[in-house]
Amino acid sequence: MTAPARDGEDALATARRLGRRFRETAADLDAGGAFPRANIDALSDAGLLNLVIDRDRGGLGGGLTLARRVVSEIARGEPSTALILSMHLVNHAAIRFGGHWPEAAARRLIADSLAGPALVNSLQVEPEAGSPSYGNLPRTVARRDRDVWRLSGRKRFATGCEGLAWSTVSAVTDEPDPRVGLFVVSHGTPGITIDRTWNSSGMRATGSHDVIFDDVAVPLDHTIDLAPTAYGLRRDERLGTWFMLLIGAVYHGIARAARDDGLAFATRFHPGGGNTPLSDLPRIRDALGAVEVALVTSERLLDSVAQEFDAGGNPGQAGGIVRHGVFENAVTAVEQVLAVVGNAGVSRDHPFERHHRNVVCARTHAPATPLIRAGAARAALASLPPV
């Protein structure tokens, strides 16, 4: 059992230790696709699930910079665990910094998290409506039934759903003038089932299955930002920085793991059984240098945006743009490592092919690359002086 972290510096050191421990079972989790329950328990014991809960509420009070670094260290060891952690921390950041959470629900959720491994995630993607990043309304319906809402619908890609204690679920009300928003759901409520649909080539232990809600009771006050459907789901641009950067941090951590393994391989392997290690060859040094350039660039970009948020700023679109750049750097770095190690890169006797399967999953996360680029283009065109 890991002793709870006392402060930010201790939390980061603890994350490094846990990342090294999680690395030992990463291949087994990948092979079986089982939910990483032991890892989540360890994160809870260490206090890292409470990393961004306000100190006044019993948490560590960490900011985005610390959370980003912790997530990257966990991902360096086992990235599915890190993705589950990142989604959990994003939702705790929404409670702390967003100001839209119903206080009664927030108190219950935080108390559960302080007591044990009570994960939370936001479930918004649907089989028919897709991701809300495209502007579609959810098909999940909230029906008013006296003193509760009754929630019915199916959500896809529910990362960590086998360990969820809470979720925020997007839904449209069945009122004469329908509203759309998030409903805060306790997963101890009857009517919630998991359909084990997740069968991905990478990030296999995230357990991102479908979750089905069948007439699930939700207290009337457990809602966030209910508004007329004409407005769509409301987004807090500043809080969106957490979502963008923590997911970016996961894939940055995967690339760092591939880099670590690539350096170790290049120094141990002697081509042709000679005396010169692979790492002494000029073309290999150049390739390894390219990996370092990509990863150092991503590290600095992630921290710069996180530090802007922590200083009270609003990074705006920079979070999404940096995440896009980090994704591309991570994929490029891992592919460069595979080129360095040759046949070992596709052998299941080595971790490289696993790193590659995991890192390419970066490109599946919403908002998709075209949406990020379109937003950047609109902002650039809007900044032009009038002709």
Side-chain angles (χ1 to χ4, degrees):
M1 185 170 176
T2 304
R6 299 179 299 275
D7 52 33
E9 185 176 344
D10 191 23
L12 188 54
T14 299
R16 291 192 182 106
R17 289 194 299 271
L18 287 178
R20 289 192 292 269
R21 186 206 299 181
F22 296 167
R23 181 184 179 90
E24 296 173 3
T25 56
D28 291 337
L29 287 171
D30 172 73
F35 178 72
R37 196 168 303 278
N39 291 357
I40 299 301
D41 287 347
L43 290 174
S44 177
D45 291 342
L48 297 186
L49 294 184
N50 306 320
L51 184 69
V52 301
I53 296 174
D54 220 331
R55 283 192 172 274
D56 290 346
R57 291 184 184 254
L60 286 171
L64 181 51
T65 305
L66 175 61
R68 196 288 299 168
R69 292 174 179 174
V70 164
V71 166
S72 286
E73 290 297 337
I74 299 301
R76 202 172 180 178
E78 204 294 292
S80 290
T81 302
L83 187 63
I84 294 167
L85 173 64
S86 71
M87 300 298 190
H88 174 83
L89 295 179
V90 165
N91 282 272
H92 276 285
I95 293 173
R96 180 178 169 194
F97 298 108
H100 299 278
W101 263 72
E103 180 57 28
R107 282 200 303 268
R108 288 180 60 196
L109 187 151
I110 289 171
D112 284 351
S113 190
L114 293 173
L119 294 173
V120 57
N121 196 0
S122 188
L123 310 186
Q124 299 187 28
V125 182
E126 296 184 348
E128 288 141 356
S131 166
S133 62
Y134 290 100
N136 299 325
L137 289 174
R139 307 293 175 86
T140 301
V141 174
R143 175 177 57 86
R144 177 73 180 264
D145 179 19
R146 295 187 295 275
D147 59 346
V148 296
W149 296 102
R150 295 283 178 181
L151 202 67
S152 295
R154 174 187 284 257
K155 296 298 183 181
R156 296 193 75 189
F157 307 135
T159 295
C161 62
E162 293 161 284
L164 289 181
W166 293 87
S167 66
T168 61
V169 181
S170 59
V172 173
T173 67
D174 71 341
E175 299 165 304
D177 295 314
R179 294 178 292 168
V180 63
L182 299 177
F183 292 75
V184 182
V185 179
S186 167
H187 278 238
T189 310
I192 302 174
T193 57
I194 294 173
D195 185 3
R196 299 181 62 81
T197 54
W198 184 245
N199 190 24
S200 173
S201 62
M203 303 298 285
R204 288 176 45 74
T206 61
S208 300
H209 305 295
D210 286 14
V211 176
I212 301 167
F213 299 89
D214 183 9
D215 218 28
V216 175
V218 180
L220 289 182
D221 63 348
H222 281 36
T223 63
I224 302 171
D225 290 339
L226 274 183
T229 55
Y231 294 102
L233 273 173
R234 296 166 67 184
R235 301 289 182 189
D236 185 323
E237 182 185 62
R238 186 166 181 266
L239 274 176
T241 305
W242 278 78
F243 177 74
M244 296 297 183
L245 258 62
L246 292 194
I247 295 179
V250 171
Y251 292 93
H252 178 59
I254 295 169
R256 289 175 67 198
R259 172 257 193 196
D260 295 343
D261 289 331
L263 290 177
F265 182 92
T267 55
R268 289 195 308 263
F269 181 68
H270 291 66
N275 295 323
T276 303
L278 189 64
S279 58
D280 279 3
L281 300 179
R283 66 177 181 84
I284 298 299
R285 291 245 169 155
D286 182 68
L288 293 174
V291 171
E292 293 301 302
V293 168
L295 297 188
V296 170
T297 299
S298 291
E299 187 86 11
R300 295 304 180 100
L301 286 172
L302 287 166
D303 275 356
S304 69
V305 177
Q307 287 162 2
E308 181 180 352
F309 181 96
D310 289 341
N314 180 5
Q317 291 191 5
I321 291 170
V322 163
R323 190 193 76 166
H324 169 58
V326 168
F327 281 177
E328 293 306 304
N329 282 348
V331 173
T332 298
V334 175
E335 289 177 343
Q336 190 76 265
V337 169
L338 263 64
V340 165
V341 303
N343 286 337
V346 294
S347 168
R348 295 187 69 114
D349 293 331
H350 296 274
F352 303 109
E353 58 86 28
R354 170 163 45 90
H355 296 322
H356 188 240
R357 285 187 287 106
N358 286 333
V359 81
V360 295
C361 291
R363 291 173 173 161
T364 68
H365 287 279
T369 294
L371 292 180
I372 297 289
R373 290 177 175 170
R378 282 194 300 271
L381 292 168
S383 70
L384 291 174
V387 178

Coordinates of all heavy atoms in Angstrom, one line a residue, residues 9 43 91 119 132 139 143 178 181 183 193 196 208 212 228 235 242 251 258 262 286 297 300 305 312 355 364 375:
E9 N 4.8 18.2 -4.8 CA 6.1 17.5 -5.0 C 6.1 16.0 -4.7 O 6.5 15.2 -5.4 CB 7.2 18.2 -4.3 CG 8.6 17.7 -4.6 CD 9.7 18.5 -3.9 OE1 9.4 19.7 -3.4 OE2 10.8 18.0 -3.8
L43 N -3.8 4.2 -7.0 CA -3.9 5.6 -7.1 C -4.7 6.2 -6.0 O -4.4 7.3 -5.5 CB -4.6 6.0 -8.5 CG -3.7 5.7 -9.7 CD1 -4.6 5.9 -11.0 CD2 -2.5 6.6 -9.8
N91 N -13.1 15.9 -14.4 CA -14.4 16.1 -13.8 C -14.2 16.8 -12.4 O -15.1 17.6 -12.0 CB -15.2 14.8 -13.7 CG -15.8 14.4 -15.0 OD1 -16.9 14.8 -15.3 ND2 -15.1 13.7 -15.8
L119 N -14.4 6.5 -8.9 CA -14.1 7.2 -10.2 C -15.4 8.0 -10.7 O -16.5 7.6 -10.4 CB -13.7 6.2 -11.3 CG -12.4 5.5 -11.0 CD1 -12.2 4.4 -12.1 CD2 -11.2 6.5 -11.0
P132 N -20.6 15.0 -29.2 CA -21.2 16.3 -29.1 C -20.3 17.4 -29.7 O -20.8 18.5 -30.0 CB -21.4 16.5 -27.6 CG -20.5 15.6 -26.9 CD -20.3 14.5 -27.8
R139 N -29.4 11.6 -27.8 CA -30.6 10.9 -27.9 C -31.1 10.4 -26.6 O -32.2 10.0 -26.4 CB -30.5 9.7 -28.9 CG -29.9 10.0 -30.3 CD -30.9 10.9 -31.1 NE -30.2 11.3 -32.3 CZ -30.2 10.6 -33.4 NH1 -30.8 9.4 -33.5 NH2 -29.6 11.1 -34.5
R143 N -36.7 12.1 -18.4 CA -38.2 12.3 -18.2 C -38.5 12.7 -16.8 O -38.1 12.0 -15.8 CB -38.9 11.0 -18.6 CG -40.4 11.0 -18.3 CD -41.0 9.6 -18.8 NE -40.3 8.5 -18.1 CZ -40.7 8.0 -17.0 NH1 -41.7 8.6 -16.3 NH2 -40.1 7.0 -16.4
P178 N -38.1 21.4 -24.7 CA -37.0 20.6 -24.2 C -35.7 21.4 -23.9 O -35.4 22.4 -24.5 CB -36.7 19.7 -25.4 CG -37.9 19.7 -26.2 CD -38.5 21.1 -26.0
G181 N -28.6 19.2 -21.2 CA -27.6 19.5 -20.2 C -27.0 18.2 -19.7 O -27.2 17.1 -20.3
F183 N -26.6 15.4 -16.5 CA -27.2 14.9 -15.3 C -26.2 14.1 -14.5 O -25.5 13.2 -15.0 CB -28.4 14.0 -15.7 CG -29.5 14.8 -16.4 CD1 -29.4 15.2 -17.7 CD2 -30.7 15.1 -15.7 CE1 -30.4 16.0 -18.3 CE2 -31.7 15.8 -16.3 CZ -31.6 16.3 -17.6
T193 N -26.5 -0.6 -16.7 CA -25.8 -1.8 -17.1 C -24.7 -1.5 -18.0 O -24.7 -0.5 -18.7 CB -26.7 -2.9 -17.7 OG1 -27.4 -2.3 -18.9 CG2 -27.8 -3.3 -16.8
R196 N -20.3 -4.8 -22.9 CA -18.9 -4.9 -23.0 C -18.5 -4.9 -24.5 O -18.2 -5.9 -25.1 CB -18.3 -6.2 -22.4 CG -18.6 -6.2 -20.8 CD -18.0 -7.4 -20.2 NE -16.6 -7.5 -20.4 CZ -15.7 -6.8 -19.6 NH1 -16.1 -6.1 -18.6 NH2 -14.4 -7.0 -19.8
S208 N -13.5 1.0 -22.2 CA -14.4 2.0 -22.7 C -15.7 1.4 -23.3 O -15.9 1.6 -24.5 CB -13.6 2.9 -23.7 OG -12.5 3.5 -23.0
I212 N -25.6 1.6 -20.5 CA -27.0 1.7 -20.8 C -27.7 2.2 -19.5 O -27.6 1.6 -18.4 CB -27.6 0.3 -21.3 CG1 -26.8 -0.2 -22.5 CG2 -29.1 0.5 -21.5 CD1 -27.1 -1.6 -22.8
P228 N -32.2 25.6 -23.1 CA -32.9 25.3 -24.3 C -32.1 24.6 -25.3 O -30.9 24.9 -25.5 CB -33.5 26.6 -24.8 CG -33.5 27.4 -23.5 CD -32.4 27.0 -22.7
R235 N -20.5 24.8 -23.2 CA -19.1 24.5 -22.9 C -18.4 25.6 -22.2 O -18.6 26.8 -22.5 CB -18.4 24.2 -24.2 CG -19.0 23.1 -25.1 CD -18.7 21.8 -24.5 NE -19.2 20.7 -25.3 CZ -19.3 19.4 -24.9 NH1 -18.8 19.1 -23.7 NH2 -19.7 18.5 -25.7
W242 N -8.4 21.7 -19.5 CA -8.1 20.5 -18.7 C -8.3 19.2 -19.6 O -7.4 18.4 -19.6 CB -9.0 20.4 -17.5 CG -8.5 21.2 -16.3 CD1 -8.6 22.6 -16.2 CD2 -7.8 20.8 -15.2 NE1 -8.0 23.0 -15.0 CE2 -7.5 21.9 -14.4 CE3 -7.4 19.5 -14.7 CZ2 -6.8 21.8 -13.1 CZ3 -6.7 19.4 -13.5 CH2 -6.4 20.5 -12.7
Y251 N -0.8 10.6 -24.1 CA -0.1 10.1 -25.2 C 1.3 10.6 -25.3 O 2.2 9.9 -25.8 CB -0.9 10.5 -26.5 CG -2.2 9.7 -26.5 CD1 -3.4 10.2 -26.0 CD2 -2.2 8.4 -27.0 CE1 -4.5 9.5 -26.0 CE2 -3.4 7.7 -27.0 CZ -4.5 8.2 -26.5 OH -5.7 7.4 -26.4
A258 N 8.1 4.7 -25.0 CA 8.7 4.2 -26.1 C 10.2 4.7 -26.3 O 11.1 3.9 -26.6 CB 7.9 4.5 -27.4
G262 N 13.4 2.5 -26.3 CA 14.3 2.6 -27.5 C 15.7 2.9 -27.2 O 16.6 2.3 -27.7
D286 N 21.0 10.2 -35.0 CA 20.1 11.3 -35.6 C 18.6 11.0 -35.3 O 17.8 11.9 -35.0 CB 20.4 11.3 -37.1 CG 19.5 12.4 -37.7 OD1 19.8 13.6 -37.5 OD2 18.6 12.1 -38.5
T297 N 9.8 19.3 -27.1 CA 8.8 20.3 -27.6 C 7.5 20.1 -27.0 O 6.8 21.1 -26.5 CB 8.7 20.2 -29.1 OG1 10.0 20.5 -29.7 CG2 7.7 21.2 -29.7
R300 N 7.3 21.1 -23.2 CA 7.3 22.6 -23.0 C 6.0 23.2 -23.4 O 5.4 24.1 -22.7 CB 8.4 23.2 -23.7 CG 9.8 22.9 -23.3 CD 10.0 23.1 -21.8 NE 11.3 22.8 -21.3 CZ 12.3 23.7 -21.1 NH1 12.2 24.9 -21.3 NH2 13.5 23.3 -20.6
V305 N 0.9 25.9 -21.5 CA -0.6 26.2 -21.5 C -1.1 25.9 -20.1 O -2.0 26.6 -19.6 CB -1.3 25.3 -22.5 CG1 -2.8 25.5 -22.4 CG2 -0.8 25.7 -23.9
G312 N -4.4 31.8 -13.8 CA -5.7 32.5 -13.9 C -6.1 32.9 -15.3 O -7.1 33.6 -15.5
H355 N 3.4 0.0 -27.6 CA 3.4 1.4 -27.5 C 2.8 2.0 -28.8 O 2.1 3.0 -28.7 CB 4.9 1.9 -27.4 CG 5.6 1.5 -26.1 ND1 4.9 1.5 -24.9 CD2 6.9 1.1 -25.9 CE1 5.8 1.1 -24.0 NE2 7.0 0.9 -24.5
T364 N -8.1 9.2 -32.4 CA -9.5 8.8 -32.3 C -10.2 9.8 -31.3 O -11.5 9.8 -31.3 CB -9.7 7.4 -31.8 OG1 -9.3 7.3 -30.4 CG2 -8.9 6.4 -32.7
G375 N -11.3 25.4 -36.4 CA -11.3 26.5 -35.4 C -10.2 27.4 -35.4 O -10.3 28.6 -35.3

